[in-house]
Amino acid sequence: MKKIKKILAAVLLSALAIFAVVGCGSQQTGSGKKVLKVGSAIDFAPFEFQDEGETAYQGFDMDLIRAVAKEMGSEAEIQNIGFDGLIPALQAKNIDVIISGMTINDERKQKVGFSDPYYRSGLTMVVRSDEETIKSFKDLKGHKVAVQIGTTSANMVKEMEGVTVTELNTPADCFMELKARGVDAVVNDRPVNDYYIKQSQAVGVKSLEDKLSAEDYGIAMAKDNADLQKKINEALKKLHDNGEYDKIYQKWFGASK
Ligand code: GLN
């Protein structure tokens, strides 16, 4: 009897130890701070990008997740992962959360959990400045269109009749293909298109007014991690209440929400 009790205690202790390490989806750093492992596809300015010669990742999502982690008493450790590799990385538990301008939708909700929405987005098109036939989404019929692989834009364009779709790794690749006349239009998230057009490299292209579907961005976490989901939602709420969210919003979008 005594022996059984001992064995039981040992099993319980090791279970507790394992739970302490992996249970809450965070680890300790050398300095004792917890680490929130974040995955993001760093090619989506102004949400996540890296300036040439810079080591730090910057953008709205980067500031937001660092602030969220801080509220949780953690430090964000951000890994650059291709957009279509983000959900698999989360499922493999290589990362704790995704922040990557990721739209909350039913298809993804089958695989991951989402925080409350943190940004309202939508889709627009970029065409060459001399483009005269494409003025709205319905004009895409009969044309070649580039989209980023694994995105809501890709899903949408693939459903359109008579459109030839080229799927590329990043929005930057899509814009290059447009300028090289390999495609006639790029469908991509509105704030990213707007930001790109404002940049000096965006000569010879323009974005169109027509906007499709309102999309909400969310922070994704493992589907079974309700505890982390709750903590992230609480942190987001705190940042809205204390004005920090607005500060970050103004820094990147220049206006109050
Ligand atoms: N919002 C789009 C999506 O979730 C694109 C995101 C991205 O390319 N980073 O599919």
Side-chain angles (χ1 to χ4, degrees):
M1 192 61 192
K2 233 184 181 174
K3 203 169 175 194
I4 291 174
K5 263 192 189 162
K6 257 193 186 163
I7 291 169
L8 267 180
V11 167
L12 204 69
L13 266 178
S14 37
L16 271 176
I18 290 167
F19 186 75
V21 175
V22 298
C24 50
S26 57
Q27 293 169 3
Q28 306 281 125
T29 59
S31 60
K33 255 207 163 165
K34 281 182 283 171
V35 169
L36 183 71
K37 286 200 198 169
V38 179
S40 185
I42 311 291
D43 52 35
F44 205 60
F47 293 93
E48 37 270 333
F49 63 105
Q50 187 176 24
D51 275 339
E52 223 166 293
E54 293 288 325
T55 48
Y57 298 148
Q58 43 171 338
F60 178 82
D61 283 353
M62 302 293 93
D63 286 348
L64 187 65
I65 200 67
R66 286 184 185 119
V68 163
K70 199 167 164 205
E71 279 302 327
M72 292 163 57
S74 302
E75 206 173 314
E77 186 187 279
I78 301 161
Q79 287 178 50
N80 184 8
I81 300 172
F83 192 75
D84 60 337
L86 286 168
I87 288 181
L90 191 62
Q91 289 177 315
K93 304 220 183 286
N94 293 337
I95 50 174
D96 302 317
V97 295
I98 298 168
I99 189 160
S100 202
M102 186 174 273
T103 302
I104 302 171
N105 66 21
D106 288 341
E107 190 191 330
R108 290 176 182 149
K109 274 191 190 163
Q110 312 275 318
K111 300 176 189 159
V112 299
F114 277 106
S115 71
D116 293 334
Y118 71 83
Y119 184 91
R120 169 56 60 94
S121 190
L123 305 178
T124 57
M125 280 180 291
V126 178
V127 294
R128 284 182 293 275
S129 307
D130 59 6
E131 177 61 57
E132 273 167 12
T133 50
I134 304 171
K135 293 198 169 64
S136 66
F137 279 95
K138 62 175 176 17
D139 302 328
L140 287 179
K141 198 170 176 177
H143 285 279
K144 291 184 192 156
V145 179
V147 288
Q148 185 185 7
I149 194 162
T151 60
T152 47
S153 298
N155 284 351
M156 192 206 65
V157 176
K158 281 196 275 187
E159 273 173 21
M160 288 181 168
E161 220 183 295
V163 175
T164 310
V165 184
T166 304
E167 290 180 88
L168 300 170
N169 280 325
T170 67
D173 293 342
C174 296
F175 295 134
M176 248 158 53
E177 193 64 11
L178 176 69
K179 285 189 188 178
R181 300 191 168 262
V183 293
D184 307 313
V186 172
V187 175
N188 187 37
D189 293 33
R190 173 193 43 80
V192 175
N193 288 342
D194 289 351
Y195 191 85
Y196 172 71
I197 293 296
K198 272 198 262 158
Q199 306 304 300
S200 55
Q201 85 246 33
V203 279
V205 291
K206 61 184 178 187
S207 67
L208 300 178
E209 284 294 310
D210 196 14
K211 191 179 152 190
L212 215 78
S213 75
E215 299 190 358
D216 284 322
Y217 293 168
I219 300 169
M221 69 289 297
K223 220 181 160 188
D224 55 4
N225 205 339
D227 182 50
L228 183 58
Q229 187 180 39
K230 187 166 163 255
K231 283 185 183 144
I232 286 182
N233 281 336
E234 280 167 4
L236 279 175
K237 186 173 182 309
K238 192 94 175 279
L239 297 172
H240 276 290
D241 291 347
N242 69 14
E244 188 66 25
Y245 177 94
D246 262 356
K247 259 195 226 156
I248 299 174
Y249 191 95
Q250 278 186 32
K251 175 177 165 190
W252 292 104
F253 303 106
S256 202
K257 221 190 111 199

